Amino acid sequence: METIKRMYEHLHWANQRILEALKTIEPVNSHKARRFFSHILCSEQVWLSRIYGKDNSLLPLWSEHGLEDCEELVNRNEQSFSELLSSLTEADLDQQIKYKNSKGMEFQTC
């Protein structure tokens, strides 16, 4: 369990470093990087909804967010993952997650 928490802490650290780097680049030069970073942050939200068993079919994967929106997503994702990780038990890690991908195909993941 501690390994998963440390892995998430590293992910959050990396998200913060990317956000800081994007703030130093001229907007016209950071378009592609912001697009990919936005995709990463949206994907984190999709996985959170899957873990909680919520419908994620309306969550965008390729929305283009500005830096302020990305910063808000970083903070929102950190809060949501922190709440999730603080509530998980070792037994929870053995449960399968059933979800539909963005194309509506059903999957199960351990």
Side-chain angles (χ1 to χ4, degrees):
M1 192 65 188
E2 286 305 311
T3 300
I4 292 172
K5 288 179 181 178
R6 282 194 310 270
M7 289 172 66
Y8 177 72
E9 288 170 3
H10 178 74
L11 173 67
H12 180 62
W13 173 86
N15 283 347
Q16 290 176 315
R17 299 298 80 74
I18 293 168
L19 185 61
E20 289 172 15
L22 287 173
K23 288 179 180 180
T24 67
I25 301 171
E26 292 293 324
V28 70
N29 297 328
S30 67
H31 174 75
K32 194 171 185 179
R34 275 186 294 124
R35 184 171 186 264
F36 284 120
F37 187 47
S38 179
H39 172 68
I40 290 167
L41 297 174
C42 289
S43 296
E44 289 177 13
Q45 290 195 324
V46 167
W47 274 105
L48 279 163
S49 69
R50 289 174 177 173
I51 291 167
Y52 283 114
K54 296 180 180 177
D55 177 27
N56 59 64
S57 62
L58 299 178
L59 292 176
L61 279 174
W62 284 103
S63 289
E64 192 164 324
H65 293 93
L67 286 178
E68 288 180 9
D69 292 332
C70 285
E71 187 166 18
E72 182 181 323
L73 285 170
V74 166
N75 293 330
R76 190 179 328 149
N77 290 352
E78 192 276 332
Q79 178 68 34
S80 297
F81 273 109
S82 292
E83 289 172 5
L84 172 67
L85 293 173
S86 68
S87 68
L88 285 179
T89 65
E90 292 289 333
D92 292 330
L93 298 178
D94 291 330
Q95 293 183 17
Q96 291 205 353
I97 299 170
K98 297 177 184 181
Y99 64 94
K100 291 182 182 179
N101 70 5
S102 59
K103 295 181 181 179
M105 297 173 58
E106 292 189 14
F107 286 90
Q108 292 183 14
T109 301
C110 284

Short mmCIF file of all heavy atoms in Angstrom, two decimals, residues 32-93:
data_model
loop_
_atom_site.label_atom_id
_atom_site.label_comp_id
_atom_site.label_asym_id
_atom_site.label_seq_id
_atom_site.Cartn_x
_atom_site.Cartn_y
_atom_site.Cartn_z
N LYS A 32 1.07 22.42 -27.94
CA LYS A 32 1.09 20.96 -28.01
C LYS A 32 1.34 20.35 -26.62
O LYS A 32 0.69 19.38 -26.23
CB LYS A 32 2.16 20.51 -28.99
CG LYS A 32 2.06 19.07 -29.39
CD LYS A 32 3.03 18.77 -30.53
CE LYS A 32 2.87 17.36 -31.03
NZ LYS A 32 3.79 17.07 -32.14
N ALA A 33 2.26 20.93 -25.87
CA ALA A 33 2.56 20.42 -24.53
C ALA A 33 1.35 20.55 -23.61
O ALA A 33 1.02 19.63 -22.85
CB ALA A 33 3.75 21.14 -23.95
N ARG A 34 0.66 21.70 -23.67
CA ARG A 34 -0.55 21.88 -22.85
C ARG A 34 -1.63 20.89 -23.23
O ARG A 34 -2.34 20.36 -22.38
CB ARG A 34 -1.10 23.31 -22.99
CG ARG A 34 -0.44 24.30 -22.07
CD ARG A 34 -1.11 25.66 -22.12
NE ARG A 34 -0.91 26.23 -23.46
CZ ARG A 34 -1.90 26.62 -24.25
NH1 ARG A 34 -3.14 26.55 -23.89
NH2 ARG A 34 -1.65 27.12 -25.45
N ARG A 35 -1.75 20.61 -24.53
CA ARG A 35 -2.76 19.66 -25.00
C ARG A 35 -2.50 18.27 -24.41
O ARG A 35 -3.41 17.61 -23.92
CB ARG A 35 -2.75 19.61 -26.52
CG ARG A 35 -3.83 18.72 -27.10
CD ARG A 35 -3.91 18.91 -28.63
NE ARG A 35 -5.04 18.17 -29.15
CZ ARG A 35 -4.94 16.94 -29.66
NH1 ARG A 35 -3.77 16.35 -29.73
NH2 ARG A 35 -6.01 16.31 -30.10
N PHE A 36 -1.24 17.83 -24.45
CA PHE A 36 -0.91 16.51 -23.90
C PHE A 36 -1.04 16.48 -22.38
O PHE A 36 -1.52 15.49 -21.81
CB PHE A 36 0.49 16.07 -24.33
CG PHE A 36 0.54 15.61 -25.76
CD1 PHE A 36 1.35 16.25 -26.68
CD2 PHE A 36 -0.22 14.53 -26.19
CE1 PHE A 36 1.40 15.83 -28.00
CE2 PHE A 36 -0.19 14.11 -27.51
CZ PHE A 36 0.63 14.76 -28.42
N PHE A 37 -0.63 17.55 -21.72
CA PHE A 37 -0.75 17.61 -20.26
C PHE A 37 -2.21 17.59 -19.86
O PHE A 37 -2.61 16.89 -18.93
CB PHE A 37 -0.04 18.85 -19.72
CG PHE A 37 0.03 18.90 -18.22
CD1 PHE A 37 0.44 17.81 -17.48
CD2 PHE A 37 -0.29 20.06 -17.55
CE1 PHE A 37 0.51 17.86 -16.09
CE2 PHE A 37 -0.22 20.14 -16.17
CZ PHE A 37 0.18 19.04 -15.44
N SER A 38 -3.03 18.33 -20.58
CA SER A 38 -4.47 18.33 -20.33
C SER A 38 -5.04 16.92 -20.49
O SER A 38 -5.87 16.48 -19.68
CB SER A 38 -5.15 19.30 -21.30
OG SER A 38 -6.53 19.32 -21.11
N HIS A 39 -4.59 16.20 -21.50
CA HIS A 39 -5.03 14.82 -21.72
C HIS A 39 -4.66 13.94 -20.52
O HIS A 39 -5.47 13.13 -20.05
CB HIS A 39 -4.42 14.27 -23.00
CG HIS A 39 -4.67 12.81 -23.21
ND1 HIS A 39 -5.92 12.30 -23.47
CD2 HIS A 39 -3.82 11.76 -23.18
CE1 HIS A 39 -5.83 10.98 -23.59
NE2 HIS A 39 -4.58 10.64 -23.42
N ILE A 40 -3.45 14.08 -20.02
CA ILE A 40 -3.01 13.30 -18.86
C ILE A 40 -3.91 13.58 -17.66
O ILE A 40 -4.37 12.65 -16.98
CB ILE A 40 -1.54 13.62 -18.52
CG1 ILE A 40 -0.62 13.05 -19.60
CG2 ILE A 40 -1.16 13.09 -17.14
CD1 ILE A 40 0.80 13.56 -19.53
N LEU A 41 -4.19 14.85 -17.40
CA LEU A 41 -5.02 15.22 -16.25
C LEU A 41 -6.45 14.74 -16.41
O LEU A 41 -7.07 14.26 -15.45
CB LEU A 41 -4.99 16.74 -16.05
CG LEU A 41 -3.60 17.32 -15.73
CD1 LEU A 41 -3.66 18.84 -15.70
CD2 LEU A 41 -3.07 16.76 -14.43
N CYS A 42 -6.98 14.81 -17.62
CA CYS A 42 -8.34 14.30 -17.87
C CYS A 42 -8.37 12.78 -17.72
O CYS A 42 -9.34 12.23 -17.19
CB CYS A 42 -8.80 14.70 -19.27
SG CYS A 42 -9.18 16.46 -19.44
N SER A 43 -7.32 12.11 -18.15
CA SER A 43 -7.24 10.65 -18.00
C SER A 43 -7.22 10.25 -16.53
O SER A 43 -7.82 9.23 -16.14
CB SER A 43 -5.99 10.11 -18.70
OG SER A 43 -6.06 10.34 -20.08
N GLU A 44 -6.55 11.04 -15.70
CA GLU A 44 -6.56 10.76 -14.26
C GLU A 44 -7.99 10.83 -13.73
O GLU A 44 -8.39 9.99 -12.92
CB GLU A 44 -5.67 11.77 -13.52
CG GLU A 44 -4.19 11.57 -13.76
CD GLU A 44 -3.35 12.62 -13.07
OE1 GLU A 44 -3.86 13.37 -12.21
OE2 GLU A 44 -2.16 12.71 -13.40
N GLN A 45 -8.76 11.80 -14.20
CA GLN A 45 -10.15 11.93 -13.75
C GLN A 45 -10.99 10.75 -14.23
O GLN A 45 -11.85 10.26 -13.50
CB GLN A 45 -10.75 13.24 -14.22
CG GLN A 45 -10.16 14.43 -13.52
CD GLN A 45 -10.98 15.66 -13.72
OE1 GLN A 45 -11.54 15.88 -14.79
NE2 GLN A 45 -11.07 16.48 -12.68
N VAL A 46 -10.74 10.30 -15.45
CA VAL A 46 -11.46 9.14 -15.98
C VAL A 46 -11.17 7.92 -15.11
O VAL A 46 -12.08 7.18 -14.73
CB VAL A 46 -11.10 8.89 -17.46
CG1 VAL A 46 -11.59 7.52 -17.92
CG2 VAL A 46 -11.69 9.98 -18.34
N TRP A 47 -9.90 7.70 -14.76
CA TRP A 47 -9.57 6.53 -13.93
C TRP A 47 -10.17 6.64 -12.54
O TRP A 47 -10.63 5.64 -11.98
CB TRP A 47 -8.07 6.30 -13.89
CG TRP A 47 -7.66 5.47 -15.06
CD1 TRP A 47 -7.02 5.88 -16.19
CD2 TRP A 47 -7.94 4.08 -15.24
NE1 TRP A 47 -6.88 4.83 -17.06
CE2 TRP A 47 -7.43 3.71 -16.51
CE3 TRP A 47 -8.58 3.12 -14.47
CZ2 TRP A 47 -7.55 2.42 -17.00
CZ3 TRP A 47 -8.68 1.83 -14.97
CH2 TRP A 47 -8.17 1.49 -16.21
N LEU A 48 -10.20 7.83 -12.00
CA LEU A 48 -10.86 7.99 -10.69
C LEU A 48 -12.33 7.61 -10.78
O LEU A 48 -12.85 6.91 -9.90
CB LEU A 48 -10.72 9.43 -10.20
CG LEU A 48 -9.41 9.77 -9.53
CD1 LEU A 48 -9.21 11.28 -9.48
CD2 LEU A 48 -9.34 9.16 -8.15
N SER A 49 -13.01 8.05 -11.82
CA SER A 49 -14.42 7.71 -11.96
C SER A 49 -14.60 6.20 -12.14
O SER A 49 -15.56 5.62 -11.62
CB SER A 49 -15.06 8.48 -13.12
OG SER A 49 -14.57 8.04 -14.36
N ARG A 50 -13.71 5.56 -12.86
CA ARG A 50 -13.78 4.10 -13.04
C ARG A 50 -13.59 3.38 -11.71
O ARG A 50 -14.31 2.43 -11.41
CB ARG A 50 -12.72 3.63 -14.03
CG ARG A 50 -12.99 4.04 -15.45
CD ARG A 50 -11.84 3.69 -16.35
NE ARG A 50 -12.15 4.02 -17.74
CZ ARG A 50 -11.28 3.95 -18.72
NH1 ARG A 50 -10.03 3.57 -18.49
NH2 ARG A 50 -11.64 4.27 -19.95
N ILE A 51 -12.63 3.82 -10.94
CA ILE A 51 -12.36 3.19 -9.64
C ILE A 51 -13.59 3.30 -8.74
O ILE A 51 -13.93 2.35 -8.03
CB ILE A 51 -11.13 3.83 -8.98
CG1 ILE A 51 -9.87 3.43 -9.76
CG2 ILE A 51 -11.02 3.44 -7.51
CD1 ILE A 51 -8.62 4.23 -9.39
N TYR A 52 -14.27 4.43 -8.79
CA TYR A 52 -15.46 4.63 -7.96
C TYR A 52 -16.73 4.06 -8.59
O TYR A 52 -17.80 4.16 -8.02
CB TYR A 52 -15.66 6.12 -7.66
CG TYR A 52 -14.73 6.65 -6.60
CD1 TYR A 52 -13.76 7.59 -6.90
CD2 TYR A 52 -14.82 6.21 -5.28
CE1 TYR A 52 -12.89 8.08 -5.93
CE2 TYR A 52 -13.97 6.68 -4.31
CZ TYR A 52 -13.02 7.62 -4.64
OH TYR A 52 -12.17 8.10 -3.67
N GLY A 53 -16.60 3.45 -9.77
CA GLY A 53 -17.75 2.83 -10.42
C GLY A 53 -18.72 3.82 -11.03
O GLY A 53 -19.89 3.49 -11.24
N LYS A 54 -18.25 5.01 -11.33
CA LYS A 54 -19.12 6.04 -11.91
C LYS A 54 -19.02 6.02 -13.44
O LYS A 54 -18.02 5.59 -14.00
CB LYS A 54 -18.72 7.42 -11.40
CG LYS A 54 -18.91 7.57 -9.90
CD LYS A 54 -18.49 8.95 -9.46
CE LYS A 54 -18.68 9.10 -7.95
NZ LYS A 54 -18.20 10.41 -7.50
N ASP A 55 -20.06 6.52 -14.06
CA ASP A 55 -20.07 6.64 -15.52
C ASP A 55 -19.06 7.71 -15.93
O ASP A 55 -19.08 8.82 -15.42
CB ASP A 55 -21.47 7.02 -15.99
CG ASP A 55 -21.55 7.23 -17.50
OD1 ASP A 55 -20.74 6.63 -18.24
OD2 ASP A 55 -22.43 8.00 -17.92
N ASN A 56 -18.17 7.35 -16.84
CA ASN A 56 -17.18 8.32 -17.30
C ASN A 56 -17.33 8.64 -18.78
O ASN A 56 -16.46 9.26 -19.38
CB ASN A 56 -15.76 7.83 -17.00
CG ASN A 56 -15.46 6.51 -17.68
OD1 ASN A 56 -15.44 6.43 -18.89
ND2 ASN A 56 -15.21 5.48 -16.90
N SER A 57 -18.45 8.22 -19.36
CA SER A 57 -18.64 8.38 -20.80
C SER A 57 -18.70 9.84 -21.24
O SER A 57 -18.40 10.15 -22.39
CB SER A 57 -19.91 7.65 -21.26
OG SER A 57 -21.05 8.20 -20.65
N LEU A 58 -19.06 10.74 -20.35
CA LEU A 58 -19.14 12.15 -20.71
C LEU A 58 -17.89 12.95 -20.34
O LEU A 58 -17.81 14.14 -20.63
CB LEU A 58 -20.37 12.79 -20.06
CG LEU A 58 -21.71 12.18 -20.48
CD1 LEU A 58 -22.86 12.86 -19.74
CD2 LEU A 58 -21.91 12.28 -21.98
N LEU A 59 -16.93 12.27 -19.71
CA LEU A 59 -15.70 12.98 -19.35
C LEU A 59 -14.81 13.09 -20.58
O LEU A 59 -14.53 12.11 -21.25
CB LEU A 59 -14.95 12.23 -18.24
CG LEU A 59 -15.62 12.21 -16.87
CD1 LEU A 59 -14.81 11.37 -15.90
CD2 LEU A 59 -15.76 13.63 -16.34
N PRO A 60 -14.36 14.29 -20.87
CA PRO A 60 -13.52 14.48 -22.06
C PRO A 60 -12.11 13.95 -21.82
O PRO A 60 -11.58 14.06 -20.72
CB PRO A 60 -13.51 15.99 -22.23
CG PRO A 60 -13.68 16.52 -20.85
CD PRO A 60 -14.59 15.53 -20.15
N LEU A 61 -11.53 13.38 -22.84
CA LEU A 61 -10.14 12.95 -22.75
C LEU A 61 -9.19 13.92 -23.44
O LEU A 61 -8.03 14.02 -23.08
CB LEU A 61 -9.97 11.56 -23.38
CG LEU A 61 -10.36 10.39 -22.50
CD1 LEU A 61 -10.30 9.09 -23.28
CD2 LEU A 61 -9.47 10.32 -21.28
N TRP A 62 -9.69 14.60 -24.45
CA TRP A 62 -8.82 15.47 -25.24
C TRP A 62 -9.26 16.92 -25.21
O TRP A 62 -9.05 17.66 -26.16
CB TRP A 62 -8.74 14.97 -26.68
CG TRP A 62 -7.86 13.78 -26.79
CD1 TRP A 62 -8.26 12.48 -26.92
CD2 TRP A 62 -6.44 13.74 -26.75
NE1 TRP A 62 -7.17 11.65 -26.97
CE2 TRP A 62 -6.03 12.39 -26.87
CE3 TRP A 62 -5.44 14.71 -26.62
CZ2 TRP A 62 -4.70 11.99 -26.86
CZ3 TRP A 62 -4.12 14.32 -26.61
CH2 TRP A 62 -3.76 12.98 -26.73
N SER A 63 -9.84 17.36 -24.12
CA SER A 63 -10.18 18.78 -23.98
C SER A 63 -8.88 19.57 -23.84
O SER A 63 -7.94 19.12 -23.20
CB SER A 63 -11.04 19.02 -22.75
OG SER A 63 -12.32 18.50 -22.94
N GLU A 64 -8.89 20.73 -24.43
CA GLU A 64 -7.71 21.58 -24.29
C GLU A 64 -7.98 22.60 -23.22
O GLU A 64 -8.89 23.41 -23.32
CB GLU A 64 -7.39 22.26 -25.61
CG GLU A 64 -6.03 22.91 -25.57
CD GLU A 64 -5.54 23.23 -26.95
OE1 GLU A 64 -5.80 22.45 -27.87
OE2 GLU A 64 -4.90 24.28 -27.09
N HIS A 65 -7.19 22.55 -22.17
CA HIS A 65 -7.35 23.45 -21.04
C HIS A 65 -6.22 24.47 -21.02
O HIS A 65 -5.09 24.17 -21.38
CB HIS A 65 -7.32 22.67 -19.72
CG HIS A 65 -8.49 21.77 -19.54
ND1 HIS A 65 -8.48 20.44 -19.92
CD2 HIS A 65 -9.72 21.99 -19.03
CE1 HIS A 65 -9.65 19.90 -19.65
NE2 HIS A 65 -10.42 20.82 -19.11
N GLY A 66 -6.55 25.66 -20.55
CA GLY A 66 -5.53 26.67 -20.31
C GLY A 66 -4.76 26.32 -19.04
O GLY A 66 -5.10 25.37 -18.32
N LEU A 67 -3.74 27.09 -18.76
CA LEU A 67 -2.91 26.80 -17.58
C LEU A 67 -3.68 26.89 -16.27
O LEU A 67 -3.46 26.07 -15.38
CB LEU A 67 -1.70 27.74 -17.55
CG LEU A 67 -0.62 27.42 -18.57
CD1 LEU A 67 0.51 28.44 -18.49
CD2 LEU A 67 -0.07 26.02 -18.35
N GLU A 68 -4.58 27.85 -16.16
CA GLU A 68 -5.37 27.96 -14.93
C GLU A 68 -6.24 26.73 -14.74
O GLU A 68 -6.37 26.21 -13.62
CB GLU A 68 -6.21 29.22 -14.93
CG GLU A 68 -5.41 30.49 -14.76
CD GLU A 68 -6.27 31.74 -14.77
OE1 GLU A 68 -7.52 31.62 -14.73
OE2 GLU A 68 -5.69 32.84 -14.80
N ASP A 69 -6.85 26.25 -15.82
CA ASP A 69 -7.67 25.04 -15.73
C ASP A 69 -6.81 23.83 -15.41
O ASP A 69 -7.23 22.96 -14.63
CB ASP A 69 -8.43 24.81 -17.04
CG ASP A 69 -9.50 25.87 -17.29
OD1 ASP A 69 -10.02 26.43 -16.31
OD2 ASP A 69 -9.80 26.12 -18.47
N CYS A 70 -5.62 23.75 -16.00
CA CYS A 70 -4.72 22.63 -15.70
C CYS A 70 -4.33 22.64 -14.23
O CYS A 70 -4.30 21.60 -13.58
CB CYS A 70 -3.46 22.68 -16.58
SG CYS A 70 -3.74 22.16 -18.29
N GLU A 71 -4.05 23.84 -13.72
CA GLU A 71 -3.69 23.94 -12.30
C GLU A 71 -4.84 23.48 -11.42
O GLU A 71 -4.64 22.77 -10.43
CB GLU A 71 -3.28 25.37 -11.97
CG GLU A 71 -2.74 25.52 -10.57
CD GLU A 71 -2.03 26.85 -10.37
OE1 GLU A 71 -2.23 27.78 -11.16
OE2 GLU A 71 -1.27 26.93 -9.39
N GLU A 72 -6.05 23.86 -11.79
CA GLU A 72 -7.23 23.42 -11.03
C GLU A 72 -7.38 21.90 -11.10
O GLU A 72 -7.68 21.25 -10.10
CB GLU A 72 -8.49 24.10 -11.58
CG GLU A 72 -9.74 23.74 -10.82
CD GLU A 72 -10.98 24.41 -11.39
OE1 GLU A 72 -10.89 25.57 -11.83
OE2 GLU A 72 -12.04 23.75 -11.38
N LEU A 73 -7.16 21.31 -12.28
CA LEU A 73 -7.24 19.86 -12.43
C LEU A 73 -6.17 19.15 -11.60
O LEU A 73 -6.43 18.11 -10.99
CB LEU A 73 -7.13 19.46 -13.90
CG LEU A 73 -8.35 19.71 -14.76
CD1 LEU A 73 -8.02 19.49 -16.23
CD2 LEU A 73 -9.50 18.81 -14.34
N VAL A 74 -4.95 19.69 -11.60
CA VAL A 74 -3.87 19.11 -10.79
C VAL A 74 -4.31 19.06 -9.33
O VAL A 74 -4.19 18.04 -8.65
CB VAL A 74 -2.55 19.90 -10.95
CG1 VAL A 74 -1.55 19.51 -9.86
CG2 VAL A 74 -1.96 19.67 -12.33
N ASN A 75 -4.85 20.17 -8.84
CA ASN A 75 -5.27 20.24 -7.44
C ASN A 75 -6.47 19.34 -7.15
O ASN A 75 -6.50 18.65 -6.13
CB ASN A 75 -5.60 21.69 -7.06
CG ASN A 75 -4.37 22.55 -7.06
OD1 ASN A 75 -3.27 22.09 -6.80
ND2 ASN A 75 -4.54 23.82 -7.37
N ARG A 76 -7.44 19.32 -8.07
CA ARG A 76 -8.62 18.48 -7.88
C ARG A 76 -8.23 17.00 -7.90
O ARG A 76 -8.70 16.20 -7.07
CB ARG A 76 -9.65 18.76 -8.98
CG ARG A 76 -10.98 18.11 -8.70
CD ARG A 76 -12.04 18.39 -9.74
NE ARG A 76 -11.94 19.69 -10.37
CZ ARG A 76 -12.32 19.94 -11.61
NH1 ARG A 76 -12.82 18.98 -12.36
NH2 ARG A 76 -12.22 21.14 -12.12
N ASN A 77 -7.37 16.62 -8.85
CA ASN A 77 -6.94 15.22 -8.93
C ASN A 77 -6.16 14.82 -7.69
O ASN A 77 -6.33 13.72 -7.16
CB ASN A 77 -6.11 14.98 -10.19
CG ASN A 77 -6.94 15.05 -11.46
OD1 ASN A 77 -8.17 15.14 -11.41
ND2 ASN A 77 -6.27 15.04 -12.59
N GLU A 78 -5.31 15.72 -7.21
CA GLU A 78 -4.53 15.41 -6.00
C GLU A 78 -5.45 15.19 -4.81
O GLU A 78 -5.27 14.24 -4.05
CB GLU A 78 -3.54 16.55 -5.72
CG GLU A 78 -2.49 16.21 -4.68
CD GLU A 78 -2.93 16.39 -3.25
OE1 GLU A 78 -3.80 17.24 -3.00
OE2 GLU A 78 -2.42 15.67 -2.37
N GLN A 79 -6.45 16.03 -4.67
CA GLN A 79 -7.41 15.88 -3.58
C GLN A 79 -8.16 14.55 -3.69
O GLN A 79 -8.28 13.81 -2.71
CB GLN A 79 -8.40 17.06 -3.57
CG GLN A 79 -9.47 16.97 -2.51
CD GLN A 79 -8.92 17.14 -1.11
OE1 GLN A 79 -7.96 17.88 -0.90
NE2 GLN A 79 -9.50 16.46 -0.15
N SER A 80 -8.63 14.25 -4.89
CA SER A 80 -9.41 13.02 -5.09
C SER A 80 -8.55 11.77 -4.87
O SER A 80 -9.00 10.82 -4.23
CB SER A 80 -9.99 12.99 -6.51
OG SER A 80 -10.90 14.04 -6.68
N PHE A 81 -7.34 11.77 -5.40
CA PHE A 81 -6.46 10.61 -5.19
C PHE A 81 -6.06 10.47 -3.73
O PHE A 81 -5.97 9.36 -3.21
CB PHE A 81 -5.22 10.68 -6.08
CG PHE A 81 -5.43 10.09 -7.44
CD1 PHE A 81 -5.49 10.89 -8.56
CD2 PHE A 81 -5.56 8.71 -7.61
CE1 PHE A 81 -5.68 10.35 -9.83
CE2 PHE A 81 -5.75 8.16 -8.86
CZ PHE A 81 -5.81 8.98 -9.98
N SER A 82 -5.81 11.57 -3.06
CA SER A 82 -5.46 11.52 -1.64
C SER A 82 -6.59 10.91 -0.82
O SER A 82 -6.36 10.07 0.06
CB SER A 82 -5.12 12.91 -1.10
OG SER A 82 -3.93 13.37 -1.67
N GLU A 83 -7.82 11.33 -1.11
CA GLU A 83 -8.99 10.77 -0.41
C GLU A 83 -9.12 9.28 -0.69
O GLU A 83 -9.38 8.49 0.21
CB GLU A 83 -10.26 11.51 -0.81
CG GLU A 83 -10.34 12.92 -0.28
CD GLU A 83 -11.51 13.70 -0.85
OE1 GLU A 83 -12.34 13.13 -1.61
OE2 GLU A 83 -11.59 14.91 -0.55
N LEU A 84 -8.93 8.91 -1.96
CA LEU A 84 -9.02 7.50 -2.33
C LEU A 84 -7.95 6.68 -1.61
O LEU A 84 -8.26 5.66 -0.99
CB LEU A 84 -8.86 7.34 -3.84
CG LEU A 84 -8.73 5.90 -4.36
CD1 LEU A 84 -10.03 5.14 -4.15
CD2 LEU A 84 -8.32 5.91 -5.82
N LEU A 85 -6.72 7.12 -1.68
CA LEU A 85 -5.63 6.35 -1.10
C LEU A 85 -5.71 6.26 0.42
O LEU A 85 -5.29 5.27 1.00
CB LEU A 85 -4.29 6.94 -1.54
CG LEU A 85 -3.98 6.79 -3.02
CD1 LEU A 85 -2.72 7.55 -3.39
CD2 LEU A 85 -3.86 5.32 -3.42
N SER A 86 -6.27 7.28 1.05
CA SER A 86 -6.39 7.22 2.52
C SER A 86 -7.50 6.27 2.95
O SER A 86 -7.53 5.81 4.09
CB SER A 86 -6.61 8.62 3.10
OG SER A 86 -7.87 9.11 2.72
N SER A 87 -8.43 5.97 2.04
CA SER A 87 -9.55 5.09 2.41
C SER A 87 -9.32 3.64 1.99
O SER A 87 -10.06 2.76 2.44
CB SER A 87 -10.84 5.61 1.79
OG SER A 87 -10.82 5.46 0.39
N LEU A 88 -8.35 3.38 1.15
CA LEU A 88 -8.12 2.01 0.67
C LEU A 88 -7.50 1.11 1.73
O LEU A 88 -6.71 1.57 2.55
CB LEU A 88 -7.18 2.03 -0.55
CG LEU A 88 -7.74 2.49 -1.87
CD1 LEU A 88 -6.65 2.46 -2.93
CD2 LEU A 88 -8.91 1.65 -2.31
N THR A 89 -7.86 -0.15 1.64
CA THR A 89 -7.23 -1.17 2.48
C THR A 89 -6.52 -2.15 1.55
O THR A 89 -6.72 -2.14 0.34
CB THR A 89 -8.28 -1.93 3.31
OG1 THR A 89 -9.13 -2.66 2.41
CG2 THR A 89 -9.11 -0.97 4.16
N GLU A 90 -5.72 -3.01 2.12
CA GLU A 90 -5.03 -4.04 1.32
C GLU A 90 -6.05 -4.91 0.59
O GLU A 90 -5.84 -5.30 -0.55
CB GLU A 90 -4.15 -4.90 2.22
CG GLU A 90 -2.95 -4.18 2.81
CD GLU A 90 -1.88 -3.85 1.79
OE1 GLU A 90 -1.76 -4.57 0.76
OE2 GLU A 90 -1.15 -2.87 2.02
N ALA A 91 -7.16 -5.22 1.24
CA ALA A 91 -8.20 -6.05 0.61
C ALA A 91 -8.80 -5.36 -0.60
O ALA A 91 -9.16 -6.03 -1.58
CB ALA A 91 -9.29 -6.39 1.63
N ASP A 92 -8.92 -4.04 -0.55
CA ASP A 92 -9.47 -3.30 -1.69
C ASP A 92 -8.61 -3.48 -2.94
O ASP A 92 -9.12 -3.41 -4.06
CB ASP A 92 -9.55 -1.80 -1.38
CG ASP A 92 -10.59 -1.48 -0.32
OD1 ASP A 92 -11.59 -2.21 -0.22
OD2 ASP A 92 -10.39 -0.49 0.41
N LEU A 93 -7.33 -3.69 -2.76
CA LEU A 93 -6.42 -3.81 -3.90
C LEU A 93 -6.67 -5.07 -4.71
O LEU A 93 -6.25 -5.15 -5.87
CB LEU A 93 -4.97 -3.76 -3.43
CG LEU A 93 -4.56 -2.47 -2.74
CD1 LEU A 93 -3.11 -2.56 -2.27
CD2 LEU A 93 -4.76 -1.27 -3.64
#
